[in-house]
Amino acid sequence: MSYADTPLLQNDVVRLEPLSQSHRDDLAEAVGDLWRTWYTRIPSPDGMAGEIDRRLARQAEGGMAPWAVVDARTGRAVGMTTFMAIDEANRRLEIGSTWLGPAAQGAGINPAAKLLLLERAFEQLDCLAIELRTHWHNHQSRAAIARLGAKQDGILRSHTIMPDGTVRDTVVFSILNTEWPSVRAGLAHRIATR
């Protein structure tokens, strides 16, 4: 079993389907104006096909596992997520390059999707640690990551030059395998009481 494999993952709230061009139209519609947010790297509707191709190429190289995030109620793709920064030798990976369209935010889809990803990472792939990273200015993402039960490890200052030339400070969070039982219980409770 490779960390770059993308099996179908599902629960009552969300399906994580192996990303393909068949998701392009749903994703182009779901993204709305989110791609205009200056501190993110979210594909525009016109750039969606190219981003799908880029992620699939990274998967073919073994560096990424990309999924489409599908709302189980509607059957429509509402976002993307990946395993990236794959380091099988050290049993680590990052959950990242994630976005959910504005209509899917706050609907319980993010915690349900993260539960599936973390179950795969810790229970099937036997990971020791999972990283989650975001831009310092993405306060919504930082709060969502903390609500998952991840702990902030630190901030990588002047870490990445963004497409518009601004420099990103990257906030790094992680969840360790020893923390997974508590994180899992917290996520399960959130999903059950939504």
Side-chain angles (χ1 to χ4, degrees), residues 19-170:
L19 183 65
S20 73
Q21 286 296 340
S22 68
H23 298 108
R24 183 191 68 232
D25 292 343
D26 282 356
L27 293 170
E29 182 180 329
V31 75
D33 284 336
L34 195 60
W35 63 277
R36 296 181 190 276
T37 309
W38 70 272
Y39 51 76
T40 64
R41 289 187 180 171
I42 297 173
S44 69
D46 292 340
M48 199 62 66
E51 178 61 11
I52 292 169
D53 285 343
R54 184 189 75 78
R55 291 181 187 214
L56 294 176
R58 292 278 297 128
Q59 182 179 25
E61 297 165 354
M64 181 177 277
W67 284 274
V69 179
V70 177
D71 185 331
R73 295 166 294 192
T74 66
R76 296 183 58 96
V78 295
M80 296 175 162
T81 193
T82 74
F83 285 169
M84 53 191 279
I86 291 173
D87 184 357
E88 288 191 45
N90 290 300
R91 296 170 37 205
R92 299 180 64 92
L93 57 82
E94 177 185 343
I95 294 174
S97 292
T98 300
W99 64 267
L100 289 178
Q105 295 177 17
I109 290 172
N110 186 54
K114 292 300 191 294
L115 178 62
L116 292 170
L117 292 168
L118 291 166
E119 284 174 339
R120 174 154 174 77
F122 287 120
E123 297 173 15
Q124 295 175 12
L125 301 177
D126 197 28
C127 286
L128 295 174
I130 305 302
E131 272 189 21
L132 300 105
R133 296 178 174 210
T134 193
H135 196 297
W136 168 261
H137 287 285
N138 193 341
H139 298 287
Q140 182 178 350
S141 178
R142 289 168 57 190
I145 293 169
R147 278 193 307 275
L148 295 173
K151 293 184 174 60
Q152 183 174 318
D153 293 325
I155 301 167
L156 302 174
R157 305 287 306 274
S158 295
H159 180 243
T160 305
I161 299 173
M162 299 294 284
D164 68 357
T166 60
V167 178
R168 167 179 153 154
D169 288 345
T170 300

